[in-house]
Amino acid sequence: MIGAAVSLAAVLSQVPLQLFSGEFLYYALVFFVLALLAGLVGLRGVAGISMEIARIFILVFLVLAVITLVL
């Protein structure tokens, strides 16, 4: 188990930081706008799903931003 953690840390240390770009934030904004438009039209199901996807993308973006700042 410890060997797996060490090898994971070794792999993560070799990942270029350019992979953690702002694409998650871009897609989160796209899904947020989609949710707003769907909510205005009255498609509550589509709006709810789009908002949930946007929330997940924002959380992933924040986690990757913290990891990037720590490394």
Side-chain angles (χ1 to χ4, degrees):
M1 191 72 165
I2 294 174
V6 171
S7 64
L8 178 63
V11 169
L12 284 178
S13 67
Q14 295 177 358
V15 174
L17 294 179
Q18 288 84 13
L19 290 178
F20 300 135
S21 64
E23 291 184 25
F24 283 105
L25 187 60
Y26 171 76
Y27 286 120
L29 291 174
V30 167
F31 278 105
F32 178 69
V33 169
L34 178 65
L36 288 178
L37 291 175
L40 288 174
V41 176
L43 303 172
R44 292 184 354 192
V46 174
I49 291 171
S50 297
M51 197 59 143
E52 187 65 25
I53 292 172
R55 186 182 68 84
I56 290 170
F57 279 158
I58 287 175
L59 289 175
V60 169
F61 171 77
L62 290 174
V63 167
L64 291 177
V66 168
I67 289 173
T68 303
L69 289 174
V70 169
L71 294 178

